[in-house]
Amino acid sequence: AQTVTQSQPEMSVQEAETVTLSCTYDTSESNYYLFWYKQPPSRQMILVIRQEAYKQQNATENRFSVNFQKAAKSFSLKISDSQLGDTAMYFCAFMKGVANFGNEKLTFGTGTRLTIIP
Amino acid sequence: GAVVSQHPSRVICKSGTSVKIECRSLDFQATTMFWYRQFPKQSLMLMATSNEGSKATYEQGVEKDKFLINHASLTLSTLTVTSAHPEDSSFYICSASAGGNSNQPQHFGDGTRLSIL
């Protein structure tokens, strides 16, 4: 079974600063995906960024980037130039698989509540 | 594209009532849908995986007779909370898998806040 651990229950940062959210995972799978989801107060789940385990290059989406350390089973999210709209719960998630996602289930971490301070 | 509609968004009912929540994929077919439960300030916990035309697969500790799941078509899955009690009050979220036709593994509904009095 897979486990996903987020060790920072809450974080806060000043607007425009950079913040890094931590995530570690444990798995015996060799092929898998990792994701960061954002859940704002509206409770909608929004995919922020994804990383395929077989790719060595860290994924980047505008202000969001990851530091994927496969050997250490670490997958942190960096938010640059943070904005008030980034205030939300952030969940790290794991999915096993190779291609096209299939119908595999997601395993979520416990989440980090991020507050951007004006 | 890839919109998932969940209904109702909020329901308040008396203890002992059965409540049905619908999850629809509006513009794609979903052979697999997932049902999650989320307590306040906690993570999403997978309750069951719903496969079109077959029985749902429940996670350990989830009562299948309490949480009835039906996935009768490629665009609709329903979760029925039978004889609901206050401890069943929670936020329920569904998601649908679009398989290889999407850049996301699952598309989420907006959730249902269930309050049992």
Side-chain angles (χ1 to χ4, degrees):
Chain A
Q2 286 68 229
T3 59
V4 180
T5 302
Q6 294 178 250
S7 59
Q8 304 153 313
E10 295 187 19
M11 295 186 73
S12 60
V13 65
Q14 292 289 137
E15 189 177 6
E17 290 187 349
T18 295
V19 61
T20 298
L21 309 183
S22 300
C23 172
T24 58
Y25 61 95
D26 190 26
T27 183
S28 58
E29 301 286 336
S30 56
N31 298 306
Y32 52 89
Y33 299 90
L34 295 164
F35 307 89
W36 278 98
Y37 281 89
K38 169 184 178 180
Q39 188 181 41
S42 65
R43 307 297 291 271
Q44 184 182 17
M45 294 294 287
I46 302 167
L47 179 64
V48 175
I49 200 166
R50 77 182 217 199
Q51 176 79 43
E52 290 87 341
Y54 64 86
K55 290 187 177 179
Q56 293 184 340
Q57 187 174 8
N58 289 326
T60 300
E61 288 288 345
N62 300 314
R63 297 183 296 108
F64 299 88
S65 62
V66 298
N67 183 4
F68 174 47
Q69 300 291 325
K70 190 172 183 179
K73 294 181 180 175
S74 170
F75 183 61
S76 61
L77 174 69
K78 185 172 81 172
I79 305 175
S80 303
D81 185 27
S82 57
Q83 301 175 358
L84 297 179
D86 295 334
T87 292
M89 281 289 290
Y90 285 81
F91 294 101
C92 180
F94 173 100
M95 172 185 277
K96 66 179 182 180
V98 180
N100 296 330
F101 297 130
N103 296 319
E104 295 293 336
K105 63 182 181 182
L106 285 163
T107 300
F108 288 93
T110 51
T112 296
R113 182 174 301 278
L114 176 65
T115 301
I116 308 300
I117 303 168
Chain B
V3 176
V4 173
S5 173
Q6 188 172 340
H7 179 81
S9 58
R10 175 143 196 184
V11 59
I12 302 172
C13 58
K14 294 181 178 180
S15 184
T17 305
S18 291
V19 179
K20 179 183 285 188
I21 303 170
E22 293 187 348
C23 182
R24 294 180 184 272
S25 56
L26 298 186
D27 50 1
F28 66 101
Q29 293 184 332
T31 56
T32 302
M33 292 185 174
F34 303 86
W35 288 97
Y36 298 87
R37 183 173 182 177
Q38 186 179 29
F39 289 107
K41 298 185 179 182
Q42 294 189 23
S43 187
L44 281 72
M45 299 302 296
L46 180 66
M47 298 175 67
T49 302
S50 169
N51 296 296
E52 186 266 336
S54 64
K55 291 183 178 180
T57 302
Y58 289 81
E59 295 298 301
Q60 189 174 7
V62 178
E63 300 176 61
K64 61 181 181 181
D65 295 330
K66 174 75 172 178
F67 300 99
L68 300 178
I69 292 172
N70 183 282
H71 192 160
S73 78
L74 287 172
T75 59
L76 173 65
S77 177
T78 61
L79 168 68
T80 300
V81 184
T82 62
S83 186
H85 291 284
E87 59 266 27
D88 298 321
S89 297
S90 189
F91 191 69
Y92 293 87
I93 307 176
C94 74
S95 69
S97 171
N101 298 317
S102 174
N103 63 348
Q104 300 188 30
Q106 296 176 19
H107 300 272
F108 288 85
D110 288 342
T112 297
R113 184 175 300 282
L114 174 63
S115 299
I116 308 299
L117 304 177

